[in-house]
Amino acid sequence: MKLQNKVAVITGGGTGIGRATALLFAEQGARVVVTGIEAAPLHEVVIEIKQLGGEALAIEQDVTLESTWDSVIAEVIGAYGQLDILINNAGIALFANTEDESLENWEKTQSVNLNSVFLGTRAAIKAMKESGGSIVNVSSIEGLVGHPMASAYNASKGGVRIYSKSAALHCAQQGYNIRINTLHPGFISTPMTTTNVVESFGEEGADAFLADVISKIPMGRMAEAREMATGLLFLASDDSTYMTGAELVMDGGFTAQ
């Protein structure tokens, strides 16, 4: 039980990586709080965790709103008395090249993917600075390398990467015993990936896009969400006590080329 007696908040916890992480953390002894825009998938995760004998709580949250972070932290502390882990996982992916990208979609992407990470990290530091903890911000390989059709997404995930280093250094210098790291997933078989690609390229274009992606992954396949959850478990747990301001890349070899 790597997370026994720990309390973990996972944003975007109803689907994809968030859901897989919530289930894994609960298996490892954590009391899990999942947040997100849509209530139904959050409650489904909570029911599944409780059926397995774990403890969990669902909180509806728009991670882009500053006010929601104060209320979420207050509810978590009220329910469990502590906060040990924050996984800033909520995100969106809208595809467009820099010439065709709209300001509206650019700002929406930065708000969900980057601003929410700042808001969540800041709120968690305030809650954790007396007792310590681990914050993991989910970036992407698109925060390490560019893609011509991901201008806004590249900017947001690159921002998550370098912002997390700044926050990690601040916590270390203040002696807070709060570690802040980033996870950089490669291409994952999740609803967000499939849905967003289809919306951006159409059915036929999506098939071609995904086939091209897989052809460039040395391991020859996309990842499963559970595989990313294991990386988050490592960064959240005491297995990574000497890591802060660091990056964990899990991409099937994509960025090794």
Side-chain angles (χ1 to χ4, degrees):
M1 291 285 190
K2 294 180 181 293
L3 302 180
Q4 192 73 46
N5 300 319
K6 302 290 188 182
V7 175
V9 172
I10 302 167
T11 68
T15 60
I17 294 174
R19 176 182 178 278
T21 302
L23 294 171
L24 180 59
F25 279 21
E27 290 173 16
Q28 292 296 317
R31 289 167 286 175
V32 176
V33 180
V34 287
T35 83
I37 288 284
E38 297 183 15
L42 298 175
H43 289 295
E44 289 172 5
V45 171
V46 168
I47 289 170
E48 190 168 354
I49 288 173
K50 288 183 175 179
Q51 287 175 339
L52 296 171
E55 290 187 60
L57 176 67
I59 303 176
E60 290 182 60
Q61 180 191 23
D62 181 342
V63 293
T64 68
L65 299 180
E66 184 174 16
S67 61
T68 68
W69 281 101
D70 291 334
S71 61
V72 165
I73 298 298
E75 188 168 348
V76 171
I77 299 298
Y80 297 122
Q82 64 195 69
L83 173 63
D84 305 291
I85 299 162
L86 171 65
I87 307 297
N88 274 313
N89 166 71
I92 59 172
L94 304 176
F95 295 95
N97 63 52
T98 196
E99 196 171 3
D100 296 332
E101 183 62 274
S102 67
L103 180 60
E104 179 184 5
N105 282 348
W106 174 276
E107 291 181 336
K108 180 178 181 180
T109 301
Q110 307 316 313
S111 182
V112 176
N113 291 0
L114 180 55
N115 293 1
S116 72
V117 168
F118 157 67
L119 293 172
T121 299
R122 185 181 65 176
I125 289 171
K126 292 177 180 179
M128 293 176 175
K129 62 184 180 181
E130 299 299 329
S131 57
S134 176
I135 299 170
V136 188
N137 296 326
V138 179
S139 180
S140 167
I141 56 170
E142 302 291 353
L144 301 172
V145 296
H147 190 289
M149 289 299 295
S151 58
Y153 190 72
N154 278 147
S156 69
K157 292 302 188 178
V160 168
R161 172 183 175 269
I162 202 67
Y163 163 72
S164 298
K165 293 179 182 295
S166 174
L169 291 173
H170 166 72
C171 289
Q173 289 176 356
Q174 296 300 312
Y176 287 161
N177 192 30
I178 299 172
R179 299 182 300 104
I180 304 176
N181 295 291
T182 51
L183 178 73
H184 295 260
F187 291 92
I188 309 162
S189 180
T190 67
M192 186 180 84
T193 300
T194 303
T195 300
N196 288 342
V197 169
V198 170
E199 288 178 354
S200 299
F201 301 106
E203 292 285 352
E204 292 186 8
D207 289 342
F209 177 85
L210 293 174
D212 180 63
V213 163
I214 292 172
S215 74
K216 294 176 180 176
I217 300 172
M219 290 183 70
R221 65 174 178 86
M222 290 190 180
E224 297 298 325
R226 175 87 176 192
E227 292 175 297
M228 298 303 107
T230 62
L232 290 170
L233 174 61
F234 170 70
L235 292 173
S237 75
D238 289 344
D239 285 346
S240 58
T241 51
Y242 199 57
M243 288 181 69
T244 196
E247 303 145 15
L248 179 58
V249 180
M250 303 180 74
D251 67 353
F254 189 95
T255 58
Q257 303 172 97

